[in-house]
């Protein structure tokens, strides 16, 4: 089985609510009917509006959503892509390998329902100062535990991009998916898993930043809060 990730941009005429409804209803149904084994959809909407201060936008315009599609083979992906393309202004597809250091077992929603909290999607590009091997070793081999130890995430997925699947897909080397409690959208104490302890929050934030700067250039990174929907588990 292979995992394909599609970054999507809404049309200018679309409201967030209209775009979400189209992805969750029309596009989701078409992708599942076309044979997807699993389907997860992330979309920017009013439920994550409080997290606006957490957004980091290196891409202009920023993405409006992300679809993760699992199928027996990416070779037969055309029906999935046709369904997505017909409902968005632009899409960029990638074949990825997924690692899941934290599996969401705390806040599991039924298929078609919103996962509680905030779904943070981060698009990464490898800094030129690092080889691909060095970059992966720092991120996966070293930083992973730092992220787990210093944040309130209850779900954590790491997607290394194997190759682009669509024409002119923007350069991207990895995509991170993180699930946070809803309170983390506005409260750094919750975000850094340090409720009631300001000194702990500062330690966690410093440890996280010190680790991240080793393998991420912030001006090349997108961090977009979304709502997550598992449409077919």
């Amino acid at each position: 089985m292979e995992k394909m990730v599609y970054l999507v941009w809404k049309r200018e005429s679309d409201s967030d609510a209209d775009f979400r409804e189209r992805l969750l209803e029309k596009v989701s149904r078409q992708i599942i009917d076309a044979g997807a084994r699993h389907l997860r959809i992330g979309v920017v909407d009013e439920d994550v509006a409080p997290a606006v201060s957490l957004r980091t936008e290196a891409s202009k315009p920023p993405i409006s959503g992300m679809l993760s599609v699992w199928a027996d083979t990416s070779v037969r992906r055309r029906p999935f892509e046709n369904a997505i393309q017909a409902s968005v202004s632009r899409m960029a597809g990638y074949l990825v390998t997924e690692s899941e250091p934290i599996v969401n077992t705390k806040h599991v929603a039924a298929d078609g329902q919103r996962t509680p909290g905030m779904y943070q999607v981060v698009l990464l590009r490898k800094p030129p100062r690092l080889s691909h091997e060095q970059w992966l070793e720092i991120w996966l081999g070293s930083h992973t535990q730092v992220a787990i130890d210093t944040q309130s995430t209850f779900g954590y997925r790491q997607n290394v991009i194997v190759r682009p699947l669509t024409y002119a897909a923007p350069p991207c080397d990895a995509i991170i998916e993180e699930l946070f409690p809803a309170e983390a959208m506005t409260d750094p104490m919750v975000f850094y898993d340090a409720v009631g302890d300001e000194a702990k929050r500062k330690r966690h934030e410093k440890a996280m930043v010190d680790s991240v700067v080793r393998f991420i250039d912030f001006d090349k990174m997108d961090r977009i809060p979304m709502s997550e929907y598992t449409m077919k588990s």
Side-chain angles (χ1 to χ4, degrees):
M1 192 182 304
E2 294 186 300
K3 179 181 180 182
M4 294 158 279
V5 170
Y6 292 91
L7 308 178
V8 293
W9 288 258
K10 67 179 182 178
R11 299 162 181 159
E12 288 188 10
S13 59
D14 282 337
S15 67
D16 289 344
D18 288 342
F19 188 61
R20 176 185 60 196
E21 182 178 1
R22 188 179 309 122
L23 292 182
L24 298 183
E25 297 295 334
K26 177 183 177 182
V27 178
S28 174
R29 182 174 62 253
Q30 291 175 334
I31 290 175
I32 292 172
D33 288 348
R37 291 291 194 97
H38 309 289
L39 174 62
R40 182 185 302 125
I41 294 177
V43 62
V44 177
D45 62 8
E46 68 275 8
D47 289 320
V48 292
V52 64
S53 65
L54 299 178
R55 288 174 67 96
T56 302
E57 300 175 5
S59 303
K60 302 295 182 182
I63 62 173
S64 306
M66 186 175 87
L67 294 87
S68 297
V69 183
W70 286 259
D72 292 331
T73 174
S74 61
V75 172
R76 302 190 186 101
R77 66 185 184 274
R78 183 57 60 190
F80 310 139
E81 294 182 352
N82 289 343
I84 298 169
Q85 185 64 69
S87 292
V88 304
S89 69
R90 177 185 170 199
M91 73 173 184
Y94 306 88
L95 180 66
V96 306
T97 60
E98 180 192 57
S99 174
E100 197 164 13
I102 302 177
V103 177
N104 175 20
T105 58
K106 293 183 178 180
H107 305 289
V108 180
D111 284 4
Q113 300 300 307
R114 184 181 185 276
T115 303
M118 174 182 67
Y119 174 55
Q120 181 170 269
V121 173
V122 184
L123 311 181
L124 298 182
R125 293 181 65 180
K126 180 189 71 65
R129 65 180 180 276
L130 298 172
S131 69
H132 190 69
E133 291 74 17
Q134 290 171 326
W135 180 68
L136 288 177
E137 177 55 34
I138 295 171
W139 173 33
L140 303 179
S142 174
H143 173 75
T144 297
Q145 193 60 49
V146 175
I148 291 171
D149 292 342
T150 60
Q151 299 181 121
S152 60
T153 43
F154 61 88
Y156 184 22
R157 310 177 193 111
Q158 300 164 319
N159 302 283
V160 178
I161 291 176
V162 177
R163 61 185 176 89
L165 295 175
T166 57
Y167 176 74
C172 188
D173 295 299
I175 300 171
I176 298 170
E177 303 169 74
E178 296 172 302
L179 294 167
F180 285 87
E183 296 79 6
M185 288 190 276
T186 56
D187 190 343
M189 301 281 276
V190 176
F191 189 96
Y192 286 108
D193 195 24
V195 174
D197 190 336
E198 177 63 15
K200 182 179 180 182
R201 182 200 66 78
K202 290 180 179 178
R203 289 196 306 272
H204 280 192
E205 183 174 6
K206 184 178 186 304
M208 184 66 179
V209 172
D210 288 348
S211 181
V212 165
V213 297
R214 296 180 297 157
F215 69 99
I216 295 177
D217 289 340
F218 290 120
D219 63 338
K220 301 293 192 301
M221 178 188 78
D222 290 87
R223 180 172 68 161
I224 309 295
M226 300 186 190
S227 291
E228 179 194 73
Y229 292 83
T230 298
M231 305 308 296
K232 184 177 182 181
S233 58

